[in-house]
Amino acid sequence: MPLYDTIGLGYAARRRPDPRIAAVIDAALRDASSVVNVGAGTGSYEPTTRRVVAVEPSTVMISQRASDAAPCLQGVAESLPLETKSVDAAMAVLTMHHWTDLARGLAELRRVARSHAVLVTWVPDAAPFWLTDDYFPEIVAHDRTVFPAERELLAVVERAIGPAHAAPIGIPHDCTDGFLCAYWRRPEAYLRDDVRRAISSFSRFDPAAGLTRLRDDLASGAWRARHGHVLEHDAMDFGYRIVIAEVC
């Protein structure tokens, strides 16, 4: 059963595309007129000015797609239900860590795309994040076993697709897409059940102890004493990267 068949209920309400991140992705798609969105979920970041076909394994996620969203095929990254060279570009946004075989999924992007692939992911060789360092070390310990470091990631992408480069995506303080680091300047948000339900990392363990520490530190002022400097920033780099790979 796909993970999001279990945890995906209500996902669309919290995971709304952030327009600033959307602009970065749209620019990376360049002049592609047709795009496949792999691991498409509820349709975040699908460009409305291009012909899009979505591929998503979870029926729960597919059921939450808007009525005017791009057509969606049920399928997995490792075996895309598309003809070879059938789209100009492929995109995959915060989904590669859920694939069962990264190299095979990337090879499928290369097979179906004529021009290039646009990938958004996270790399573990990034600046520390107060949430995972101080309160939920279980998250980063797990993620370091799943996400390759930036240099390793680029090597895998280049072997599977073609020449690639990565650039950081700064996360705005009022990010509307509720992924793990989105609330870095709004720590109280992580205490909310509905926020955590839209973050897959919290589905793997019992967060009660970390939530108690965070709640106590916010009440006592200890959080602000240690991490109040982040309140001075409008955007920060927490390791999210956009990778553009040329098909060759």
Side-chain angles (χ1 to χ4, degrees), residues 81-128:
L82 296 175
E83 298 293 327
T84 299
K85 304 300 181 189
S86 56
V87 293
D88 292 328
M91 59 184 282
V93 178
L94 297 178
T95 179
M96 293 191 295
H97 55 292
H98 294 305
W99 299 356
T100 59
D101 188 328
L102 176 59
R104 185 175 174 184
L106 292 172
E108 277 289 272
L109 300 189
R110 181 183 186 277
R111 180 182 67 80
V112 303
R114 291 184 286 264
S115 173
H116 65 295
V118 175
L119 316 169
V120 176
T121 188
W122 177 82
V123 293
D125 46 336

Side-chain angles (χ1 to χ4, degrees), residues 110-234:
R110 181 183 186 277
R111 180 182 67 80
V112 303
R114 291 184 286 264
S115 173
H116 65 295
V118 175
L119 316 169
V120 176
T121 188
W122 177 82
V123 293
D125 46 336
F129 180 32
W130 61 261
L131 182 75
T132 53
D133 280 13
D134 286 9
Y135 302 101
F136 304 106
E138 304 94 332
I139 293 177
V140 72
H142 172 272
D143 286 353
R144 289 184 185 280
T145 70
V146 177
F147 291 88
E150 185 169 333
R151 181 176 295 182
E152 179 186 352
L153 172 64
L154 286 174
V156 173
V157 171
E158 290 191 340
R159 284 195 299 269
I161 301 176
H165 69 276
I169 299 177
I171 307 305
H173 71 92
D174 54 352
C175 183
T176 59
D177 188 353
F179 49 77
L180 178 64
C181 294
Y183 306 97
W184 58 270
R185 216 177 81 173
R186 296 167 285 172
E188 296 84 0
Y190 293 106
L191 301 176
R192 295 174 49 177
D193 290 342
D194 62 325
V195 167
R196 296 194 309 278
R197 279 197 297 269
I199 301 172
S200 64
S201 299
F202 284 104
S203 69
R204 294 190 296 263
F205 67 102
D206 182 354
L211 290 173
T212 296
R213 290 195 300 274
L214 177 57
R215 187 177 294 109
D216 290 348
D217 283 356
L218 287 171
S220 69
W223 181 91
R224 181 176 285 269
R226 288 198 302 271
H227 305 296
H229 62 278
V230 303
L231 303 177
E232 302 170 4
H233 297 272
D234 291 329

